[in-house]
Amino acid sequence: MGRYSRLHRIRQMDPQKDYERIFWWITQYEFPWDYLQGVSIAFLRDYGVPRISRLLDRTQEFERAGQKRYDDTVLIAYEMVREGMDSDHGRATARHLNRIHGRYRIPNEDYLYVLATTVVGPKRWIDRYGWRRLSWQETESLALVGRRMGEMMGITGLPTDYAGFEHLHDAYEEEMFAYDPANRRVAAATMRVVTDWYPQALRPVVARASLAVLDEPLLKALGFAPQPRWVRTTAHRALRARAVLVRRLPPRPGWWPHRPRPRSYPFGWTLDDLGPHWAQSRQLAPLPEADARQEHRPQERP
């Protein structure tokens, strides 16, 4: 199988019907590392909105258990799609997520924005630093998976395509990005999680490289100073060099999909492990569509 074999197959598929399969190939075979980097940037973008960061700051989840909070967010998305979003397990995961969110009064528009960051963030990262750009079929599959997740969470006003998610994402940031001390506290806690993955001597370098790939409006909202031009240039060239290397490697074989390796769960996890302790439930029953919307409805902004 050649490096572009999956892309050739994807180009013959219809994202309206095959979006889950295409999404699985993007995240587990073609761009597993890049997709996670895009999601990580999405986390940071959420903190540029004071209303979101203040809520996260009040929970103290990142201060007390930052690694677990990071892992749980990634794993819940993984669990929702691994057997199909409309499978019993996918619906049970959506119910579990709704139970976690149901404790808080969160405006519907904030849910829309956070969801948009998980669609737009990976797309923009992959197009900039991946070994190739996404095809339109892959781009629309990201959007359609995001839309289906939103439906299962009871979110209203969902965009129908990637262009809609991107417009929502950019318009919301233009209106809502602003500095607040809570932004910096939550972002700094998340950065500590990321840098702790590396040896002590490398952590300052990793921190500077992480900041170097963030745009100026986000840095301003988080209260971080832009890195010097030479740091930004070095980080960009290093990531582009990685892309060239990956392009020359053989594709990931079909029998070896990427699987998360969360630091919080070295011996594996169950759905019940994910989220705060108060959200744990032993019930993994199917999630009827009506039940999901009754259990959790985002709050409309007054």
Side-chain angles (χ1 to χ4, degrees), residues 118-179:
T118 67
V119 173
V120 176
K123 156 71 173 170
R124 289 181 173 174
W125 177 279
I126 291 171
D127 282 353
R128 188 178 185 187
Y129 294 124
W131 63 272
R132 64 169 174 83
R133 295 174 65 87
L134 292 179
S135 67
W136 76 265
Q137 293 92 340
E138 291 168 317
T139 299
E140 291 308 312
S141 294
L142 288 177
L144 291 169
V145 166
R147 178 180 173 82
R148 182 63 188 134
M149 284 185 176
E151 290 172 347
M152 297 176 77
M153 294 171 65
I155 301 173
T156 61
L158 291 159
T160 59
D161 56 17
Y162 178 79
F165 273 106
E166 188 171 50
H167 175 75
L168 184 156
H169 176 280
D170 294 345
Y172 185 92
E173 288 190 352
E174 185 174 354
E175 178 185 358
M176 302 297 289
F177 262 15
Y179 173 71

Side-chain angles (χ1 to χ4, degrees), residues 13-51:
M13 299 167 75
D14 179 1
Q16 292 292 332
K17 297 186 299 183
D18 302 316
Y19 62 89
E20 287 193 64
R21 187 178 185 187
I22 296 172
F23 180 83
W24 187 254
W25 282 353
I26 293 170
T27 59
Q28 308 306 312
Y29 291 98
E30 295 288 272
F31 304 100
W33 185 85
D34 293 288
Y35 179 80
L36 287 176
Q37 304 316 303
V39 170
S40 297
I41 297 295
F43 290 164
L44 291 174
R45 303 202 79 83
D46 296 341
Y47 311 151
V49 180
R51 188 165 62 195

Side-chain angles (χ1 to χ4, degrees), residues 57-68 189 276-278:
D57 192 40
R58 285 198 302 272
T59 68
Q60 290 291 295
E61 287 291 325
F62 278 98
E63 289 293 339
R64 292 195 304 259
Q67 183 66 59
K68 184 179 188 306
H277 65 87
W278 51 261

Side-chain angles (χ1 to χ4, degrees), residues 207-225:
R208 297 193 71 174
S210 299
L211 293 174
V213 299
L214 303 183
D215 56 270
E216 191 166 344
L218 178 57
L219 288 169
K220 184 177 180 180
L222 298 179
F224 294 129

Side-chain angles (χ1 to χ4, degrees), residues 64-117:
R64 292 195 304 259
Q67 183 66 59
K68 184 179 188 306
R69 175 66 170 76
Y70 179 93
D71 290 338
D72 288 352
T73 303
V74 172
L75 290 175
I76 285 175
Y78 173 80
E79 291 295 322
M80 193 177 289
V81 302
R82 71 177 175 88
E83 293 184 14
M85 300 176 73
D86 288 302
S87 67
D88 287 355
H89 186 75
R91 288 171 174 267
T93 304
R95 171 171 289 170
H96 188 68
L97 180 60
N98 290 341
R99 184 180 301 113
I100 293 171
H101 288 157
R103 186 170 182 173
Y104 308 104
R105 291 183 59 84
I106 302 174
N108 187 76
E109 64 178 352
D110 289 358
Y111 277 108
L112 280 170
Y113 171 67
V114 172
L115 186 64
T117 64

